[in-house]
Amino acid sequence: MRTGIRWLLRIVLLLVFLAACGTFIPRPLIAPVEASSVAATHRILLLSGAIHTDIAIPLDEKTRATFSFLDNPDFPLGHPNAEWLIVGWGGRAFYLETPTWAELKPLPVLRALTIDRSVLHVDLAGHITEPQPAVAAFDVSDDQLARLINFISDSFVRDAGEIAPIPNAGYGEIDRFFEAKGYFNALVGCNTWTAAALRSAGLRTGLWNPLPQSLRLSLSVYN
């Protein structure tokens, strides 16, 4: 009994140590050099929940044109009240089958803890109030925003150049799910994808950010 407890404590301490290292060791280790004359003219948002993060991309004429492959009558990217494109990545089973905690099921949880195919979730939002605890804002340049958009666009699975929507999948009237590149597991999950996306835009994250709290903390320390 005591041996089991000791091993459990060791595992807990190891996880705490790894989480601390993942948060406080920056990635990249050396801060990227951005030209001081480059103006940060765009604002992107990190939206945080209890276990998941999304990225909000500002919608203007240029970003609407870049994401025009998403535009259709069921997803009105050009709607005048749409100010933000919300994008998140996650495990297929858990993401599709758990719109609320009340609908939590054992099998999607098991898939999330082991390995699962991935999907991208996209939604539209109007005005997002700042500041608020669940929203972190970052100002980026034209080039940084372009790199972030390229990262997100490249995360969609494409067949002959066309993205792959998942039929009848969504939480509301206009949000949509699409097949995505990569595989999801408990160690490389939605928040590590978000971190990688933000790094593509020149932001520094922690070495490993499996939780929203870890990602937000490392972003606040290094940016």
Side-chain angles (χ1 to χ4, degrees), residues 69-72 75 85 87-90 92 95-96 117-123 155-157 162-167 169-170 174-181:
F69 59 86
L70 293 173
D71 195 22
N72 66 56
F75 193 79
L85 173 66
V87 184
W89 182 95
R92 199 178 201 279
Y95 221 163
L96 292 178
R117 292 159 57 194
S118 64
V119 295
L120 280 161
H121 180 240
V122 299
D123 202 355
S155 295
F156 286 88
V157 165
E162 297 294 324
I163 56 176
I166 300 173
I174 62 170
D175 66 303
R176 293 292 178 266
F177 282 95
F178 297 86
E179 302 289 357
K181 295 179 181 177

PDB file of all heavy atoms in Angstrom, residues 69-72 75 85 87-90 92 95-96 117-123 155-157 162-167 169-170 174-181:
ATOM      1  N   PHE A  69     -12.465  30.396 -48.743  1.00  0.00           N
ATOM      2  CA  PHE A  69     -12.818  28.984 -48.923  1.00  0.00           C
ATOM      3  C   PHE A  69     -13.815  28.509 -47.863  1.00  0.00           C
ATOM      4  O   PHE A  69     -14.427  27.449 -48.008  1.00  0.00           O
ATOM      5  CB  PHE A  69     -11.560  28.106 -48.914  1.00  0.00           C
ATOM      6  CG  PHE A  69     -10.732  28.190 -47.655  1.00  0.00           C
ATOM      7  CD1 PHE A  69     -11.018  27.393 -46.561  1.00  0.00           C
ATOM      8  CD2 PHE A  69      -9.645  29.055 -47.580  1.00  0.00           C
ATOM      9  CE1 PHE A  69     -10.256  27.453 -45.406  1.00  0.00           C
ATOM     10  CE2 PHE A  69      -8.868  29.125 -46.435  1.00  0.00           C
ATOM     11  CZ  PHE A  69      -9.173  28.326 -45.340  1.00  0.00           C
ATOM     12  N   LEU A  70     -13.998  29.287 -46.787  1.00  0.00           N
ATOM     13  CA  LEU A  70     -14.976  28.935 -45.755  1.00  0.00           C
ATOM     14  C   LEU A  70     -16.360  29.521 -46.041  1.00  0.00           C
ATOM     15  O   LEU A  70     -17.355  29.077 -45.464  1.00  0.00           O
ATOM     16  CB  LEU A  70     -14.511  29.450 -44.386  1.00  0.00           C
ATOM     17  CG  LEU A  70     -13.270  28.812 -43.767  1.00  0.00           C
ATOM     18  CD1 LEU A  70     -12.875  29.571 -42.500  1.00  0.00           C
ATOM     19  CD2 LEU A  70     -13.512  27.347 -43.444  1.00  0.00           C
ATOM     20  N   ASP A  71     -16.407  30.524 -46.893  1.00  0.00           N
ATOM     21  CA  ASP A  71     -17.639  31.295 -47.080  1.00  0.00           C
ATOM     22  C   ASP A  71     -18.684  30.497 -47.851  1.00  0.00           C
ATOM     23  O   ASP A  71     -18.418  29.988 -48.938  1.00  0.00           O
ATOM     24  CB  ASP A  71     -17.315  32.589 -47.832  1.00  0.00           C
ATOM     25  CG  ASP A  71     -18.448  33.600 -47.761  1.00  0.00           C
ATOM     26  OD1 ASP A  71     -19.267  33.497 -46.830  1.00  0.00           O
ATOM     27  OD2 ASP A  71     -18.502  34.484 -48.630  1.00  0.00           O
ATOM     28  N   ASN A  72     -19.859  30.363 -47.266  1.00  0.00           N
ATOM     29  CA  ASN A  72     -21.010  29.776 -47.954  1.00  0.00           C
ATOM     30  C   ASN A  72     -22.265  30.226 -47.216  1.00  0.00           C
ATOM     31  O   ASN A  72     -22.171  30.843 -46.150  1.00  0.00           O
ATOM     32  CB  ASN A  72     -20.897  28.240 -48.043  1.00  0.00           C
ATOM     33  CG  ASN A  72     -20.967  27.563 -46.691  1.00  0.00           C
ATOM     34  OD1 ASN A  72     -21.920  27.744 -45.940  1.00  0.00           O
ATOM     35  ND2 ASN A  72     -19.950  26.770 -46.363  1.00  0.00           N
ATOM     36  N   PHE A  75     -22.281  29.556 -43.602  1.00  0.00           N
ATOM     37  CA  PHE A  75     -21.204  30.170 -42.820  1.00  0.00           C
ATOM     38  C   PHE A  75     -20.898  31.528 -43.447  1.00  0.00           C
ATOM     39  O   PHE A  75     -19.972  31.665 -44.249  1.00  0.00           O
ATOM     40  CB  PHE A  75     -19.956  29.281 -42.815  1.00  0.00           C
ATOM     41  CG  PHE A  75     -18.929  29.701 -41.791  1.00  0.00           C
ATOM     42  CD1 PHE A  75     -19.096  29.370 -40.455  1.00  0.00           C
ATOM     43  CD2 PHE A  75     -17.807  30.427 -42.163  1.00  0.00           C
ATOM     44  CE1 PHE A  75     -18.157  29.760 -39.504  1.00  0.00           C
ATOM     45  CE2 PHE A  75     -16.867  30.820 -41.224  1.00  0.00           C
ATOM     46  CZ  PHE A  75     -17.042  30.485 -39.888  1.00  0.00           C
ATOM     47  N   LEU A  85     -13.160  35.799 -36.767  1.00  0.00           N
ATOM     48  CA  LEU A  85     -13.208  34.386 -37.135  1.00  0.00           C
ATOM     49  C   LEU A  85     -12.555  33.612 -35.996  1.00  0.00           C
ATOM     50  O   LEU A  85     -11.392  33.848 -35.660  1.00  0.00           O
ATOM     51  CB  LEU A  85     -12.453  34.141 -38.439  1.00  0.00           C
ATOM     52  CG  LEU A  85     -12.284  32.674 -38.857  1.00  0.00           C
ATOM     53  CD1 LEU A  85     -13.631  32.048 -39.189  1.00  0.00           C
ATOM     54  CD2 LEU A  85     -11.322  32.553 -40.042  1.00  0.00           C
ATOM     55  N   VAL A  87     -11.191  30.133 -34.429  1.00  0.00           N
ATOM     56  CA  VAL A  87     -10.669  28.852 -34.909  1.00  0.00           C
ATOM     57  C   VAL A  87     -10.071  28.075 -33.746  1.00  0.00           C
ATOM     58  O   VAL A  87      -9.303  28.615 -32.944  1.00  0.00           O
ATOM     59  CB  VAL A  87      -9.585  29.050 -35.993  1.00  0.00           C
ATOM     60  CG1 VAL A  87      -9.144  27.699 -36.546  1.00  0.00           C
ATOM     61  CG2 VAL A  87     -10.084  29.945 -37.115  1.00  0.00           C
ATOM     62  N   GLY A  88     -10.429  26.799 -33.667  1.00  0.00           N
ATOM     63  CA  GLY A  88      -9.846  25.911 -32.671  1.00  0.00           C
ATOM     64  C   GLY A  88      -9.609  24.534 -33.270  1.00  0.00           C
ATOM     65  O   GLY A  88     -10.276  24.137 -34.232  1.00  0.00           O
ATOM     66  N   TRP A  89      -8.666  23.818 -32.706  1.00  0.00           N
ATOM     67  CA  TRP A  89      -8.279  22.478 -33.178  1.00  0.00           C
ATOM     68  C   TRP A  89      -8.466  21.511 -32.022  1.00  0.00           C
ATOM     69  O   TRP A  89      -8.242  21.876 -30.858  1.00  0.00           O
ATOM     70  CB  TRP A  89      -6.823  22.526 -33.619  1.00  0.00           C
ATOM     71  CG  TRP A  89      -6.208  21.273 -34.176  1.00  0.00           C
ATOM     72  CD1 TRP A  89      -6.107  20.927 -35.490  1.00  0.00           C
ATOM     73  CD2 TRP A  89      -5.535  20.225 -33.448  1.00  0.00           C
ATOM     74  NE1 TRP A  89      -5.432  19.733 -35.631  1.00  0.00           N
ATOM     75  CE2 TRP A  89      -5.070  19.278 -34.382  1.00  0.00           C
ATOM     76  CE3 TRP A  89      -5.299  19.996 -32.093  1.00  0.00           C
ATOM     77  CZ2 TRP A  89      -4.376  18.131 -34.018  1.00  0.00           C
ATOM     78  CZ3 TRP A  89      -4.613  18.850 -31.714  1.00  0.00           C
ATOM     79  CH2 TRP A  89      -4.160  17.931 -32.676  1.00  0.00           C
ATOM     80  N   GLY A  90      -8.882  20.281 -32.318  1.00  0.00           N
ATOM     81  CA  GLY A  90      -9.054  19.335 -31.219  1.00  0.00           C
ATOM     82  C   GLY A  90      -9.294  17.920 -31.695  1.00  0.00           C
ATOM     83  O   GLY A  90      -9.316  17.631 -32.898  1.00  0.00           O
ATOM     84  N   ARG A  92     -11.250  14.584 -32.583  1.00  0.00           N
ATOM     85  CA  ARG A  92     -12.504  14.441 -33.316  1.00  0.00           C
ATOM     86  C   ARG A  92     -13.660  13.987 -32.429  1.00  0.00           C
ATOM     87  O   ARG A  92     -14.727  14.608 -32.400  1.00  0.00           O
ATOM     88  CB  ARG A  92     -12.305  13.455 -34.474  1.00  0.00           C
ATOM     89  CG  ARG A  92     -13.354  13.543 -35.570  1.00  0.00           C
ATOM     90  CD  ARG A  92     -13.025  12.554 -36.687  1.00  0.00           C
ATOM     91  NE  ARG A  92     -13.670  12.910 -37.926  1.00  0.00           N
ATOM     92  CZ  ARG A  92     -14.926  12.642 -38.230  1.00  0.00           C
ATOM     93  NH1 ARG A  92     -15.675  12.010 -37.351  1.00  0.00           N
ATOM     94  NH2 ARG A  92     -15.438  12.997 -39.394  1.00  0.00           N
ATOM     95  N   TYR A  95     -14.394  16.562 -29.414  1.00  0.00           N
ATOM     96  CA  TYR A  95     -14.853  17.857 -29.921  1.00  0.00           C
ATOM     97  C   TYR A  95     -16.274  17.765 -30.486  1.00  0.00           C
ATOM     98  O   TYR A  95     -17.133  18.604 -30.208  1.00  0.00           O
ATOM     99  CB  TYR A  95     -13.893  18.318 -31.014  1.00  0.00           C
ATOM    100  CG  TYR A  95     -13.541  19.789 -31.000  1.00  0.00           C
ATOM    101  CD1 TYR A  95     -12.425  20.245 -31.701  1.00  0.00           C
ATOM    102  CD2 TYR A  95     -14.304  20.731 -30.324  1.00  0.00           C
ATOM    103  CE1 TYR A  95     -12.077  21.588 -31.718  1.00  0.00           C
ATOM    104  CE2 TYR A  95     -13.966  22.071 -30.337  1.00  0.00           C
ATOM    105  CZ  TYR A  95     -12.850  22.491 -31.035  1.00  0.00           C
ATOM    106  OH  TYR A  95     -12.518  23.821 -31.056  1.00  0.00           O
ATOM    107  N   LEU A  96     -16.524  16.722 -31.275  1.00  0.00           N
ATOM    108  CA  LEU A  96     -17.821  16.611 -31.932  1.00  0.00           C
ATOM    109  C   LEU A  96     -18.932  16.180 -30.975  1.00  0.00           C
ATOM    110  O   LEU A  96     -20.082  16.600 -31.123  1.00  0.00           O
ATOM    111  CB  LEU A  96     -17.744  15.608 -33.086  1.00  0.00           C
ATOM    112  CG  LEU A  96     -16.897  15.999 -34.299  1.00  0.00           C
ATOM    113  CD1 LEU A  96     -16.890  14.875 -35.319  1.00  0.00           C
ATOM    114  CD2 LEU A  96     -17.415  17.281 -34.934  1.00  0.00           C
ATOM    115  N   ARG A 117      -8.173  11.152 -34.335  1.00  0.00           N
ATOM    116  CA  ARG A 117      -8.054  12.069 -35.463  1.00  0.00           C
ATOM    117  C   ARG A 117      -8.433  13.467 -34.998  1.00  0.00           C
ATOM    118  O   ARG A 117      -9.075  13.637 -33.958  1.00  0.00           O
ATOM    119  CB  ARG A 117      -8.965  11.614 -36.603  1.00  0.00           C
ATOM    120  CG  ARG A 117      -8.534  10.304 -37.242  1.00  0.00           C
ATOM    121  CD  ARG A 117      -9.679   9.642 -37.978  1.00  0.00           C
ATOM    122  NE  ARG A 117     -10.253  10.512 -38.999  1.00  0.00           N
ATOM    123  CZ  ARG A 117     -11.422  10.273 -39.597  1.00  0.00           C
ATOM    124  NH1 ARG A 117     -12.135   9.208 -39.261  1.00  0.00           N
ATOM    125  NH2 ARG A 117     -11.877  11.089 -40.524  1.00  0.00           N
ATOM    126  N   SER A 118      -8.051  14.455 -35.770  1.00  0.00           N
ATOM    127  CA  SER A 118      -8.292  15.836 -35.357  1.00  0.00           C
ATOM    128  C   SER A 118      -9.276  16.536 -36.282  1.00  0.00           C
ATOM    129  O   SER A 118      -9.482  16.128 -37.429  1.00  0.00           O
ATOM    130  CB  SER A 118      -6.982  16.619 -35.316  1.00  0.00           C
ATOM    131  OG  SER A 118      -6.411  16.705 -36.607  1.00  0.00           O
ATOM    132  N   VAL A 119      -9.871  17.587 -35.746  1.00  0.00           N
ATOM    133  CA  VAL A 119     -10.788  18.429 -36.512  1.00  0.00           C
ATOM    134  C   VAL A 119     -10.500  19.886 -36.186  1.00  0.00           C
ATOM    135  O   VAL A 119      -9.907  20.210 -35.157  1.00  0.00           O
ATOM    136  CB  VAL A 119     -12.269  18.111 -36.193  1.00  0.00           C
ATOM    137  CG1 VAL A 119     -12.634  16.710 -36.635  1.00  0.00           C
ATOM    138  CG2 VAL A 119     -12.567  18.309 -34.711  1.00  0.00           C
ATOM    139  N   LEU A 120     -10.931  20.753 -37.086  1.00  0.00           N
ATOM    140  CA  LEU A 120     -10.915  22.192 -36.845  1.00  0.00           C
ATOM    141  C   LEU A 120     -12.344  22.675 -36.665  1.00  0.00           C
ATOM    142  O   LEU A 120     -13.246  22.254 -37.396  1.00  0.00           O
ATOM    143  CB  LEU A 120     -10.264  22.933 -38.012  1.00  0.00           C
ATOM    144  CG  LEU A 120      -8.734  22.937 -38.045  1.00  0.00           C
ATOM    145  CD1 LEU A 120      -8.239  23.265 -39.446  1.00  0.00           C
ATOM    146  CD2 LEU A 120      -8.162  23.924 -37.036  1.00  0.00           C
ATOM    147  N   HIS A 121     -12.538  23.543 -35.689  1.00  0.00           N
ATOM    148  CA  HIS A 121     -13.845  24.142 -35.434  1.00  0.00           C
ATOM    149  C   HIS A 121     -13.756  25.625 -35.760  1.00  0.00           C
ATOM    150  O   HIS A 121     -12.846  26.314 -35.297  1.00  0.00           O
ATOM    151  CB  HIS A 121     -14.230  23.950 -33.966  1.00  0.00           C
ATOM    152  CG  HIS A 121     -15.561  24.530 -33.606  1.00  0.00           C
ATOM    153  ND1 HIS A 121     -15.713  25.516 -32.654  1.00  0.00           N
ATOM    154  CD2 HIS A 121     -16.812  24.264 -34.072  1.00  0.00           C
ATOM    155  CE1 HIS A 121     -16.990  25.822 -32.543  1.00  0.00           C
ATOM    156  NE2 HIS A 121     -17.682  25.078 -33.398  1.00  0.00           N
ATOM    157  N   VAL A 122     -14.666  26.114 -36.581  1.00  0.00           N
ATOM    158  CA  VAL A 122     -14.672  27.533 -36.939  1.00  0.00           C
ATOM    159  C   VAL A 122     -16.023  28.138 -36.585  1.00  0.00           C
ATOM    160  O   VAL A 122     -17.062  27.487 -36.677  1.00  0.00           O
ATOM    161  CB  VAL A 122     -14.359  27.757 -38.437  1.00  0.00           C
ATOM    162  CG1 VAL A 122     -12.982  27.217 -38.783  1.00  0.00           C
ATOM    163  CG2 VAL A 122     -15.411  27.123 -39.326  1.00  0.00           C
ATOM    164  N   ASP A 123     -15.979  29.380 -36.158  1.00  0.00           N
ATOM    165  CA  ASP A 123     -17.195  30.093 -35.780  1.00  0.00           C
ATOM    166  C   ASP A 123     -16.986  31.570 -36.078  1.00  0.00           C
ATOM    167  O   ASP A 123     -15.860  32.019 -36.335  1.00  0.00           O
ATOM    168  CB  ASP A 123     -17.488  29.876 -34.294  1.00  0.00           C
ATOM    169  CG  ASP A 123     -18.950  30.122 -33.940  1.00  0.00           C
ATOM    170  OD1 ASP A 123     -19.722  30.555 -34.825  1.00  0.00           O
ATOM    171  OD2 ASP A 123     -19.320  29.881 -32.776  1.00  0.00           O
ATOM    172  N   SER A 155      -3.656  23.868 -41.765  1.00  0.00           N
ATOM    173  CA  SER A 155      -4.116  22.824 -40.848  1.00  0.00           C
ATOM    174  C   SER A 155      -5.358  22.102 -41.361  1.00  0.00           C
ATOM    175  O   SER A 155      -5.738  21.063 -40.815  1.00  0.00           O
ATOM    176  CB  SER A 155      -4.412  23.426 -39.465  1.00  0.00           C
ATOM    177  OG  SER A 155      -3.238  23.928 -38.861  1.00  0.00           O
ATOM    178  N   PHE A 156      -6.008  22.642 -42.387  1.00  0.00           N
ATOM    179  CA  PHE A 156      -7.177  21.986 -42.974  1.00  0.00           C
ATOM    180  C   PHE A 156      -6.735  20.839 -43.879  1.00  0.00           C
ATOM    181  O   PHE A 156      -5.818  20.993 -44.690  1.00  0.00           O
ATOM    182  CB  PHE A 156      -7.995  22.971 -43.815  1.00  0.00           C
ATOM    183  CG  PHE A 156      -8.786  23.967 -43.027  1.00  0.00           C
ATOM    184  CD1 PHE A 156      -8.218  25.173 -42.634  1.00  0.00           C
ATOM    185  CD2 PHE A 156     -10.106  23.719 -42.686  1.00  0.00           C
ATOM    186  CE1 PHE A 156      -8.943  26.111 -41.917  1.00  0.00           C
ATOM    187  CE2 PHE A 156     -10.845  24.650 -41.969  1.00  0.00           C
ATOM    188  CZ  PHE A 156     -10.257  25.844 -41.581  1.00  0.00           C
ATOM    189  N   VAL A 157      -7.399  19.705 -43.759  1.00  0.00           N
ATOM    190  CA  VAL A 157      -7.220  18.629 -44.732  1.00  0.00           C
ATOM    191  C   VAL A 157      -7.868  19.065 -46.037  1.00  0.00           C
ATOM    192  O   VAL A 157      -8.983  19.600 -46.045  1.00  0.00           O
ATOM    193  CB  VAL A 157      -7.862  17.320 -44.226  1.00  0.00           C
ATOM    194  CG1 VAL A 157      -8.019  16.314 -45.357  1.00  0.00           C
ATOM    195  CG2 VAL A 157      -7.023  16.722 -43.106  1.00  0.00           C
ATOM    196  N   GLU A 162      -9.721  21.134 -52.060  1.00  0.00           N
ATOM    197  CA  GLU A 162     -10.958  21.495 -51.365  1.00  0.00           C
ATOM    198  C   GLU A 162     -10.906  21.027 -49.911  1.00  0.00           C
ATOM    199  O   GLU A 162     -10.473  19.907 -49.621  1.00  0.00           O
ATOM    200  CB  GLU A 162     -12.164  20.856 -52.061  1.00  0.00           C
ATOM    201  CG  GLU A 162     -12.381  21.326 -53.488  1.00  0.00           C
ATOM    202  CD  GLU A 162     -12.751  22.797 -53.562  1.00  0.00           C
ATOM    203  OE1 GLU A 162     -13.474  23.273 -52.656  1.00  0.00           O
ATOM    204  OE2 GLU A 162     -12.307  23.470 -54.513  1.00  0.00           O
ATOM    205  N   ILE A 163     -11.351  21.898 -48.987  1.00  0.00           N
ATOM    206  CA  ILE A 163     -11.423  21.508 -47.585  1.00  0.00           C
ATOM    207  C   ILE A 163     -12.519  20.466 -47.394  1.00  0.00           C
ATOM    208  O   ILE A 163     -13.379  20.288 -48.256  1.00  0.00           O
ATOM    209  CB  ILE A 163     -11.675  22.735 -46.682  1.00  0.00           C
ATOM    210  CG1 ILE A 163     -12.947  23.475 -47.109  1.00  0.00           C
ATOM    211  CG2 ILE A 163     -10.472  23.658 -46.701  1.00  0.00           C
ATOM    212  CD1 ILE A 163     -13.303  24.635 -46.200  1.00  0.00           C
ATOM    213  N   ALA A 164     -12.469  19.774 -46.258  1.00  0.00           N
ATOM    214  CA  ALA A 164     -13.376  18.644 -46.031  1.00  0.00           C
ATOM    215  C   ALA A 164     -14.299  18.928 -44.846  1.00  0.00           C
ATOM    216  O   ALA A 164     -13.954  18.629 -43.693  1.00  0.00           O
ATOM    217  CB  ALA A 164     -12.567  17.371 -45.779  1.00  0.00           C
ATOM    218  N   PRO A 165     -15.478  19.508 -45.092  1.00  0.00           N
ATOM    219  CA  PRO A 165     -16.420  19.750 -43.992  1.00  0.00           C
ATOM    220  C   PRO A 165     -16.989  18.447 -43.454  1.00  0.00           C
ATOM    221  O   PRO A 165     -17.131  17.463 -44.184  1.00  0.00           O
ATOM    222  CB  PRO A 165     -17.509  20.606 -44.646  1.00  0.00           C
ATOM    223  CG  PRO A 165     -17.441  20.278 -46.096  1.00  0.00           C
ATOM    224  CD  PRO A 165     -16.005  19.958 -46.390  1.00  0.00           C
ATOM    225  N   ILE A 166     -17.312  18.448 -42.168  1.00  0.00           N
ATOM    226  CA  ILE A 166     -17.937  17.282 -41.541  1.00  0.00           C
ATOM    227  C   ILE A 166     -19.441  17.518 -41.536  1.00  0.00           C
ATOM    228  O   ILE A 166     -19.920  18.467 -40.903  1.00  0.00           O
ATOM    229  CB  ILE A 166     -17.402  17.074 -40.115  1.00  0.00           C
ATOM    230  CG1 ILE A 166     -15.888  16.843 -40.171  1.00  0.00           C
ATOM    231  CG2 ILE A 166     -18.104  15.906 -39.432  1.00  0.00           C
ATOM    232  CD1 ILE A 166     -15.225  16.797 -38.817  1.00  0.00           C
ATOM    233  N   PRO A 167     -20.207  16.702 -42.237  1.00  0.00           N
ATOM    234  CA  PRO A 167     -21.650  16.955 -42.376  1.00  0.00           C
ATOM    235  C   PRO A 167     -22.374  16.944 -41.033  1.00  0.00           C
ATOM    236  O   PRO A 167     -22.081  16.140 -40.145  1.00  0.00           O
ATOM    237  CB  PRO A 167     -22.127  15.797 -43.266  1.00  0.00           C
ATOM    238  CG  PRO A 167     -20.895  15.291 -43.945  1.00  0.00           C
ATOM    239  CD  PRO A 167     -19.777  15.507 -42.977  1.00  0.00           C
ATOM    240  N   ALA A 169     -22.328  18.666 -38.426  1.00  0.00           N
ATOM    241  CA  ALA A 169     -21.549  18.820 -37.195  1.00  0.00           C
ATOM    242  C   ALA A 169     -21.451  20.295 -36.844  1.00  0.00           C
ATOM    243  O   ALA A 169     -21.047  21.113 -37.669  1.00  0.00           O
ATOM    244  CB  ALA A 169     -20.160  18.219 -37.362  1.00  0.00           C
ATOM    245  N   GLY A 170     -21.832  20.629 -35.629  1.00  0.00           N
ATOM    246  CA  GLY A 170     -21.759  22.008 -35.168  1.00  0.00           C
ATOM    247  C   GLY A 170     -22.522  22.152 -33.869  1.00  0.00           C
ATOM    248  O   GLY A 170     -23.392  21.340 -33.547  1.00  0.00           O
ATOM    249  N   ILE A 174     -24.339  28.449 -37.072  1.00  0.00           N
ATOM    250  CA  ILE A 174     -23.382  28.750 -38.136  1.00  0.00           C
ATOM    251  C   ILE A 174     -22.000  28.152 -37.928  1.00  0.00           C
ATOM    252  O   ILE A 174     -21.193  28.156 -38.860  1.00  0.00           O
ATOM    253  CB  ILE A 174     -23.232  30.278 -38.343  1.00  0.00           C
ATOM    254  CG1 ILE A 174     -22.689  30.938 -37.068  1.00  0.00           C
ATOM    255  CG2 ILE A 174     -24.542  30.898 -38.779  1.00  0.00           C
ATOM    256  CD1 ILE A 174     -22.293  32.383 -37.281  1.00  0.00           C
ATOM    257  N   ASP A 175     -21.673  27.670 -36.739  1.00  0.00           N
ATOM    258  CA  ASP A 175     -20.329  27.116 -36.560  1.00  0.00           C
ATOM    259  C   ASP A 175     -20.205  25.806 -37.323  1.00  0.00           C
ATOM    260  O   ASP A 175     -21.186  25.099 -37.545  1.00  0.00           O
ATOM    261  CB  ASP A 175     -20.009  26.922 -35.078  1.00  0.00           C
ATOM    262  CG  ASP A 175     -20.877  25.860 -34.431  1.00  0.00           C
ATOM    263  OD1 ASP A 175     -22.117  26.002 -34.489  1.00  0.00           O
ATOM    264  OD2 ASP A 175     -20.326  24.891 -33.885  1.00  0.00           O
ATOM    265  N   ARG A 176     -18.986  25.482 -37.730  1.00  0.00           N
ATOM    266  CA  ARG A 176     -18.757  24.310 -38.561  1.00  0.00           C
ATOM    267  C   ARG A 176     -17.491  23.571 -38.126  1.00  0.00           C
ATOM    268  O   ARG A 176     -16.571  24.160 -37.558  1.00  0.00           O
ATOM    269  CB  ARG A 176     -18.617  24.712 -40.043  1.00  0.00           C
ATOM    270  CG  ARG A 176     -19.901  25.253 -40.666  1.00  0.00           C
ATOM    271  CD  ARG A 176     -20.962  24.171 -40.784  1.00  0.00           C
ATOM    272  NE  ARG A 176     -22.218  24.668 -41.340  1.00  0.00           N
ATOM    273  CZ  ARG A 176     -23.252  25.085 -40.619  1.00  0.00           C
ATOM    274  NH1 ARG A 176     -23.163  25.101 -39.301  1.00  0.00           N
ATOM    275  NH2 ARG A 176     -24.358  25.495 -41.198  1.00  0.00           N
ATOM    276  N   PHE A 177     -17.465  22.266 -38.432  1.00  0.00           N
ATOM    277  CA  PHE A 177     -16.286  21.437 -38.196  1.00  0.00           C
ATOM    278  C   PHE A 177     -15.722  20.964 -39.530  1.00  0.00           C
ATOM    279  O   PHE A 177     -16.477  20.684 -40.470  1.00  0.00           O
ATOM    280  CB  PHE A 177     -16.631  20.217 -37.342  1.00  0.00           C
ATOM    281  CG  PHE A 177     -16.782  20.509 -35.877  1.00  0.00           C
ATOM    282  CD1 PHE A 177     -18.029  20.765 -35.331  1.00  0.00           C
ATOM    283  CD2 PHE A 177     -15.672  20.521 -35.042  1.00  0.00           C
ATOM    284  CE1 PHE A 177     -18.176  21.029 -33.981  1.00  0.00           C
ATOM    285  CE2 PHE A 177     -15.807  20.780 -33.685  1.00  0.00           C
ATOM    286  CZ  PHE A 177     -17.061  21.034 -33.154  1.00  0.00           C
ATOM    287  N   PHE A 178     -14.385  20.850 -39.578  1.00  0.00           N
ATOM    288  CA  PHE A 178     -13.697  20.384 -40.778  1.00  0.00           C
ATOM    289  C   PHE A 178     -12.618  19.380 -40.382  1.00  0.00           C
ATOM    290  O   PHE A 178     -12.042  19.463 -39.291  1.00  0.00           O
ATOM    291  CB  PHE A 178     -13.043  21.560 -41.516  1.00  0.00           C
ATOM    292  CG  PHE A 178     -14.019  22.579 -42.028  1.00  0.00           C
ATOM    293  CD1 PHE A 178     -14.461  23.610 -41.208  1.00  0.00           C
ATOM    294  CD2 PHE A 178     -14.510  22.507 -43.320  1.00  0.00           C
ATOM    295  CE1 PHE A 178     -15.367  24.552 -41.668  1.00  0.00           C
ATOM    296  CE2 PHE A 178     -15.416  23.443 -43.792  1.00  0.00           C
ATOM    297  CZ  PHE A 178     -15.846  24.465 -42.961  1.00  0.00           C
ATOM    298  N   GLU A 179     -12.355  18.455 -41.292  1.00  0.00           N
ATOM    299  CA  GLU A 179     -11.251  17.527 -41.068  1.00  0.00           C
ATOM    300  C   GLU A 179      -9.944  18.316 -41.014  1.00  0.00           C
ATOM    301  O   GLU A 179      -9.741  19.273 -41.771  1.00  0.00           O
ATOM    302  CB  GLU A 179     -11.181  16.490 -42.186  1.00  0.00           C
ATOM    303  CG  GLU A 179     -12.445  15.657 -42.362  1.00  0.00           C
ATOM    304  CD  GLU A 179     -12.687  14.663 -41.230  1.00  0.00           C
ATOM    305  OE1 GLU A 179     -11.841  14.575 -40.319  1.00  0.00           O
ATOM    306  OE2 GLU A 179     -13.719  13.968 -41.263  1.00  0.00           O
ATOM    307  N   ALA A 180      -9.064  17.906 -40.088  1.00  0.00           N
ATOM    308  CA  ALA A 180      -7.816  18.640 -39.884  1.00  0.00           C
ATOM    309  C   ALA A 180      -6.619  17.702 -39.957  1.00  0.00           C
ATOM    310  O   ALA A 180      -6.742  16.481 -39.822  1.00  0.00           O
ATOM    311  CB  ALA A 180      -7.838  19.345 -38.531  1.00  0.00           C
ATOM    312  N   LYS A 181      -5.471  18.292 -40.160  1.00  0.00           N
ATOM    313  CA  LYS A 181      -4.228  17.532 -40.180  1.00  0.00           C
ATOM    314  C   LYS A 181      -3.779  17.239 -38.748  1.00  0.00           C
ATOM    315  O   LYS A 181      -4.020  18.025 -37.835  1.00  0.00           O
ATOM    316  CB  LYS A 181      -3.136  18.318 -40.903  1.00  0.00           C
ATOM    317  CG  LYS A 181      -3.406  18.544 -42.379  1.00  0.00           C
ATOM    318  CD  LYS A 181      -2.286  19.355 -43.006  1.00  0.00           C
ATOM    319  CE  LYS A 181      -2.536  19.620 -44.485  1.00  0.00           C
ATOM    320  NZ  LYS A 181      -1.476  20.468 -45.081  1.00  0.00           N
TER     321      LYS A 181
END
